[in-house]
mmCIF file of all heavy atoms in Angstrom:
data_model
loop_
_atom_site.group_PDB
_atom_site.id
_atom_site.type_symbol
_atom_site.label_atom_id
_atom_site.label_comp_id
_atom_site.label_asym_id
_atom_site.label_seq_id
_atom_site.Cartn_x
_atom_site.Cartn_y
_atom_site.Cartn_z
ATOM 1 N N THR A 128 94.136 216.281 87.604
ATOM 2 C CA THR A 128 93.337 217.435 87.358
ATOM 3 C C THR A 128 92.585 217.425 86.081
ATOM 4 O O THR A 128 93.111 216.943 85.010
ATOM 5 C CB THR A 128 94.177 218.795 87.429
ATOM 6 O OG1 THR A 128 95.228 218.541 86.541
ATOM 7 C CG2 THR A 128 94.666 219.049 88.797
ATOM 8 N N LEU A 176 95.451 202.249 94.482
ATOM 9 C CA LEU A 176 95.402 202.244 95.948
ATOM 10 C C LEU A 176 94.030 202.477 96.588
ATOM 11 O O LEU A 176 93.677 202.043 97.652
ATOM 12 C CB LEU A 176 96.343 203.294 96.473
ATOM 13 C CG LEU A 176 97.872 202.944 96.317
ATOM 14 C CD1 LEU A 176 98.666 204.035 96.966
ATOM 15 C CD2 LEU A 176 98.230 201.595 96.749
ATOM 16 N N ILE A 213 97.217 187.325 84.440
ATOM 17 C CA ILE A 213 96.936 186.797 83.110
ATOM 18 C C ILE A 213 98.304 186.604 82.403
ATOM 19 O O ILE A 213 98.894 187.582 82.027
ATOM 20 C CB ILE A 213 95.936 187.600 82.320
ATOM 21 C CG1 ILE A 213 94.699 187.865 83.171
ATOM 22 C CG2 ILE A 213 95.620 186.914 80.998
ATOM 23 C CD1 ILE A 213 93.657 188.790 82.512
ATOM 24 N N GLU A 225 112.419 187.020 70.495
ATOM 25 C CA GLU A 225 111.329 186.054 70.545
ATOM 26 C C GLU A 225 111.321 185.530 71.973
ATOM 27 O O GLU A 225 112.351 185.236 72.567
ATOM 28 C CB GLU A 225 111.613 184.820 69.677
ATOM 29 C CG GLU A 225 111.470 185.118 68.198
ATOM 30 C CD GLU A 225 110.189 184.512 67.635
ATOM 31 O OE1 GLU A 225 109.496 183.717 68.373
ATOM 32 O OE2 GLU A 225 109.835 184.874 66.483
ATOM 33 N N GLN A 289 71.580 182.964 86.714
ATOM 34 C CA GLN A 289 72.714 182.661 85.824
ATOM 35 C C GLN A 289 73.784 183.753 86.035
ATOM 36 O O GLN A 289 74.944 183.455 86.091
ATOM 37 C CB GLN A 289 72.252 182.728 84.363
ATOM 38 C CG GLN A 289 73.334 182.205 83.446
ATOM 39 C CD GLN A 289 73.281 182.500 82.057
ATOM 40 O OE1 GLN A 289 72.633 183.608 81.690
ATOM 41 N NE2 GLN A 289 73.613 181.672 81.189
ATOM 42 N N PRO A 369 49.588 165.793 87.427
ATOM 43 C CA PRO A 369 50.528 165.734 88.503
ATOM 44 C C PRO A 369 50.892 167.051 89.117
ATOM 45 O O PRO A 369 50.934 168.071 88.347
ATOM 46 C CB PRO A 369 51.757 165.056 87.843
ATOM 47 C CG PRO A 369 51.632 165.293 86.412
ATOM 48 C CD PRO A 369 50.192 165.426 86.106
ATOM 49 N N PHE A 433 57.389 183.717 102.450
ATOM 50 C CA PHE A 433 57.296 183.015 103.742
ATOM 51 C C PHE A 433 58.307 181.936 103.850
ATOM 52 O O PHE A 433 58.280 181.020 102.968
ATOM 53 C CB PHE A 433 55.939 182.537 103.958
ATOM 54 C CG PHE A 433 54.903 183.767 103.803
ATOM 55 C CD1 PHE A 433 54.101 183.804 102.677
ATOM 56 C CD2 PHE A 433 54.800 184.647 104.782
ATOM 57 C CE1 PHE A 433 53.211 184.865 102.551
ATOM 58 C CE2 PHE A 433 53.898 185.729 104.680
ATOM 59 C CZ PHE A 433 53.118 185.887 103.466
#
Side-chain angles (χ1 to χ4, degrees):
T128 49
L176 291 183
I213 305 176
E225 289 255 347
Q289 193 197 32
F433 304 106

